Amino acid sequence: MKHIIVCLVLFSFFFACKEKTNKNNIESSDETLTVKYSKYNTCLYSDVRLIQCSKKIKKADSLDIIDFKKQWVASLKAKSIIAKVRSGNKSLYILRKFLADKPIVFTEETPLRLKNDYGSKIIRKIDKGTFAFIVDEKGSWTKIYIGKINGEWITRHWVRGGFSQDSNLVKKALQLEIAEKIIKKILKKKKVSDTKKAKAKELIETLSSTSGIFQDKAKKLKEALKKHSSKDEQDADKQNKEQNKEENKEETDKKKTLVKDKDDTKPEGTE
């Protein structure tokens, strides 16, 4: 009887190991359904609960999608679509809404509409050189995601043409967007590392002196930096003058005190 029990246990263990191996083999051989791009700097998570960050990814990183699944996400307290992503020999997870179809760059000033219709209201015009993502397409209309422009969120609006998917232009547009954020921090006198400052200024200088879709945007940033530097110099001059004035006042007060002390020490009846 003992022999039979031992055999059954060994058989069960062997079957479980084989099932686990098959499962891993199936997972590693999952085919890529599609390629998506991250809309933000974010995380890929180790499991579908989206609790533990397993790998950090940058904006516009491409991701091989294996599967999509709708399920409950405790942190959101709602059901949401989760994308299963291939990362090396691992399967990681991310919210579907964090992904876009393709990165693009606008090559001309383009009207942004509320709906995919010429009669729809124009929300604003997108400057050429602006980085964006495609999130949906209907005929000749494209729904785009940009993020925040001057305090206004552009996440589900429509355009008709006016952009390019050229990888070199897209890469440069993303670099310019990053440089623009750094320049804006400098203008607001926020802390920025010297390395980031130097890289941003170098890119702005190069693009502003080179004809192309990025020149106008780069020139505006360069001019803003110039005005900021000029104001900083004026503020520094003013501060130096005030400091010199204060030092001169202190020196004068010191001399007056010395003269008074000298007068106080003179014997009575002397001049």
Side-chain angles (χ1 to χ4, degrees):
M1 184 69 180
K2 287 183 179 179
H3 290 296
I4 295 172
I5 292 171
V6 170
C7 288
L8 287 170
V9 169
L10 289 173
F11 178 77
S12 299
F13 178 76
F14 173 77
F15 183 78
C17 289
K18 187 176 180 182
E19 185 178 12
K20 186 177 180 180
T21 303
N22 288 338
K23 185 179 178 182
N24 289 338
N25 287 338
I26 290 170
E27 184 169 305
S28 63
S29 64
D30 281 346
E31 293 184 1
T32 300
L33 289 179
T34 185
V35 175
K36 299 287 183 182
Y37 296 82
S38 173
K39 292 194 285 189
Y40 329 98
N41 295 333
T42 186
C43 273
L44 293 177
Y45 293 87
S46 55
D47 60 62
V48 292
R49 293 175 298 170
L50 307 181
I51 296 173
Q52 184 178 352
C53 179
S54 180
K55 181 181 178 181
K56 290 184 178 181
I57 56 174
K58 293 183 178 180
K59 182 174 182 175
D61 277 357
S62 63
L63 301 169
D64 291 335
I65 308 300
I66 299 170
D67 194 16
F68 291 108
K69 186 178 180 181
K70 189 171 185 178
Q71 67 175 63
W72 178 263
V73 180
S75 58
L76 299 176
K77 297 181 180 179
K79 280 192 172 184
S80 191
I81 298 174
I82 307 295
K84 184 178 179 183
V85 179
R86 186 198 308 282
S87 179
N89 60 353
K90 291 182 180 179
S91 293
L92 301 177
Y93 302 87
I94 187 172
L95 285 171
R96 168 67 181 86
K97 65 182 180 180
F98 285 4
L99 305 176
D101 294 343
K102 296 170 189 173
I104 58 172
V105 56
F106 282 90
T107 53
E108 58 187 77
E109 189 178 66
T110 307
L112 183 73
R113 298 179 187 273
L114 193 61
K115 298 179 181 179
N116 55 325
D117 186 281
Y118 274 122
S120 178
K121 180 183 177 182
I122 295 176
I123 304 300
R124 65 179 300 127
K125 289 190 176 180
I126 304 300
D127 293 336
K128 61 182 177 180
T130 300
F131 180 87
F133 289 104
I134 294 174
V135 293
D136 195 10
E137 294 176 279
K138 286 186 179 179
S140 58
W141 290 90
T142 306
K143 185 187 282 186
I144 64 164
Y145 173 93
I146 295 178
K148 192 180 278 190
I149 298 181
N150 298 328
E152 182 182 9
W153 283 98
I154 309 299
T155 58
R156 300 169 62 84
H157 298 82
W158 294 85
V159 295
R160 194 171 187 272
F163 59 82
S164 170
Q165 296 178 39
D166 180 271
S167 58
N168 291 326
L169 291 177
V170 167
K171 183 180 178 181
K172 197 167 285 187
L174 183 57
Q175 290 173 342
L176 179 57
E177 183 185 87
I178 294 169
E180 184 177 7
K181 287 179 180 178
I182 292 170
I183 299 301
K184 285 181 177 179
K185 282 185 178 181
I186 294 171
L187 298 179
K188 291 179 180 178
K189 297 186 177 181
K190 292 185 178 180
K191 191 174 181 180
V192 180
S193 71
D194 292 338
T195 304
K196 286 183 177 180
K197 279 182 186 177
K199 284 184 178 180
K201 288 178 180 179
E202 184 182 358
L203 181 66
I204 296 302
E205 186 64 40
T206 302
L207 294 179
S208 63
S209 59
T210 308
S211 61
I213 62 172
F214 305 108
Q215 189 177 42
D216 291 345
K217 189 181 275 281
K219 276 184 175 180
K220 287 178 183 177
L221 291 171
K222 184 180 177 180
E223 187 60 31
L225 265 180
K226 187 178 178 181
K227 287 180 180 178
H228 176 74
S229 299
S230 177
K231 188 176 183 302
D232 278 354
E233 288 174 5
Q234 289 173 5
D235 290 344
D237 287 342
K238 186 179 178 181
Q239 189 175 355
N240 287 334
K241 285 178 182 179
E242 288 176 354
Q243 189 174 348
N244 290 336
K245 186 178 179 181
E246 188 66 29
E247 288 174 356
N248 290 336
K249 185 177 181 299
E250 287 178 3
E251 189 66 28
T252 302
D253 291 343
K254 195 181 290 183
K255 285 179 180 179
K256 286 180 179 179
T257 303
L258 287 171
V259 170
K260 187 177 182 302
D261 290 345
K262 188 176 180 181
D263 289 343
D264 290 343
T265 56
K266 284 181 181 181
E268 289 185 17
T270 62
E271 292 184 0

